[in-house]
Amino acid sequence: MSDARRLFERYLAQRNAAGEGPFIMDVSATMPPRTAQDEAPMPDRSPDARPVRARSRAGKPSWKKDAPPIPPAGIVIPPPSSDLFSSDPLAQCDLEQLATTIRTCTDCRLCEERTHAVPGEGRGDANLVLVGEGPGAREDETGRPFVGRAGELLTDILASIDLPRDTVFICNVVKCRPPGNRKPQQDEIDACMRYLYRQIDYIRPKVILALGGTAAEALLQTRQSLGSLRNRVHSFRGTPLVVTYHPAALLRNPHWKKPTWDDVRIARQLLEQ
């Protein structure tokens, strides 16, 4: 581990211990000077030693402190017509029936190399639905979404806004792993979107969080950049939709953690409205 990374980890541990906010805060511009404490042993970072969520002195969740205001409205995707919805053969499926259909789906080429399809998981009455791009290697092995390093980070992000993972619903635009984790092609997305639509229609969440550009483009039917789609509250079939970075992107670029922290706090505020 590099000295810079070691210092960054140690500083985050100090912030958590002081109740100054969760790990996701971007403190690259406010790093403290190196002191003798820097030679202390590193804290335990194992999954069994996750930091307790910080709370303010007033007893309020720390994510509320300096939370960004709700941004203006963005793209509006209207609900489908009742005739179109009633003609969909999936319209009467519950989540378990839908998952069974997804696991045997052969509608696109992605089925040819999959180990397991990954329908998604979570509560059928979840207030928050998170939508990513597609399964990775670990997800393909297990049949579960977001179980690799990006999944661990997503679990921590949810915890930082007081949302245990088992209270939300997590899924992807495409339900089978693209070869080599490449970006899904448009015909593959088109073949899978009816499953995603039905999942959202069944759950009827209060808020949708689109994780990454592929999810945002697919749900909002746009080619706008992720940067231009952030800082807006879009509407997907009447449900507020917030766009943020994919957790895998945060692993590659930690500087995106601060804007992601702002985005998820906006989504959290919408849940309370």
Side-chain angles (χ1 to χ4, degrees):
M1 181 183 295
S2 69
D3 289 342
R5 178 64 180 172
R6 192 184 304 277
L7 181 59
F8 180 67
E9 293 281 352
R10 188 166 289 114
Y11 178 63
L12 293 180
Q14 292 169 357
R15 285 184 61 86
N16 283 336
E20 294 179 351
F23 77 98
I24 200 168
M25 293 290 290
D26 183 4
V27 295
S28 58
T30 58
M31 293 289 285
R34 192 174 182 85
T35 67
Q37 293 180 347
D38 294 336
E39 305 306 322
M42 290 291 290
D44 186 359
R45 294 294 178 183
S46 66
D48 295 331
R50 299 188 187 278
V52 177
R53 294 191 298 275
R55 291 188 172 266
S56 68
R57 294 178 182 177
K60 295 181 180 180
S62 61
W63 64 264
K64 289 189 175 181
K65 182 179 180 182
D66 300 324
I70 302 297
I75 296 172
V76 176
I77 302 299
S81 68
S82 57
D83 291 340
L84 177 64
F85 183 73
S86 62
S87 66
D88 186 346
L90 300 177
Q92 303 305 316
C93 290
D94 61 24
L95 291 182
E96 188 55 44
Q97 293 169 333
L98 195 62
T100 299
T101 301
I102 291 170
R103 292 187 183 104
T104 59
C105 177
T106 57
D107 287 352
C108 78
R109 69 181 69 87
L110 294 183
C111 70
E112 298 171 2
E113 298 185 30
R114 74 182 178 212
T115 303
H116 296 98
V118 184
E121 67 180 18
R123 294 179 62 99
D125 60 351
N127 286 328
L128 178 66
V129 167
L130 299 99
V131 182
E133 178 177 286
R138 287 286 305 281
E139 290 77 13
D140 179 66
E141 292 173 2
T142 63
R144 299 181 57 212
F146 285 89
V147 293
R149 290 181 60 209
E152 293 175 358
L153 179 56
L154 179 61
T155 299
D156 286 346
I157 291 172
L158 290 169
S160 74
I161 54 172
D162 290 332
L163 288 177
R165 180 175 170 130
D166 60 6
T167 66
V168 305
F169 190 86
I170 305 173
C171 58
N172 288 295
V173 170
V174 296
K175 311 304 186 184
C176 299
R177 182 193 181 196
N181 289 349
R182 63 163 171 77
K183 182 177 179 178
Q185 297 178 9
Q186 189 59 51
D187 62 324
E188 296 162 350
I189 293 174
D190 293 341
C192 248
M193 283 302 292
R194 64 193 187 106
Y195 297 129
L196 178 57
Y197 289 156
R198 178 55 187 153
Q199 288 173 321
I200 294 173
D201 287 336
Y202 180 87
I203 296 169
R204 298 185 182 277
K206 293 181 66 175
V207 180
I208 299 169
L209 187 62
L211 304 172
T214 298
E217 291 173 9
L219 287 166
L220 296 176
Q221 301 172 25
T222 182
R223 291 295 183 183
Q224 295 183 41
S225 68
L226 187 147
S228 66
L229 294 172
R230 288 187 58 252
N231 298 315
R232 293 286 188 273
V233 177
H234 309 282
S235 177
F236 176 81
R237 296 183 172 184
T239 301
L241 184 150
V242 176
V243 175
T244 193
Y245 295 97
H246 193 287
L250 304 184
L251 296 174
R252 299 189 297 269
N253 193 334
H255 293 292
W256 288 339
K257 287 187 175 183
K258 174 56 170 65
T260 301
W261 173 230
D262 289 339
D263 296 335
V264 298
R265 287 191 295 172
I266 289 169
R268 189 66 172 85
Q269 291 178 78
L270 292 169
L271 287 174
E272 297 197 343
Q273 290 186 346

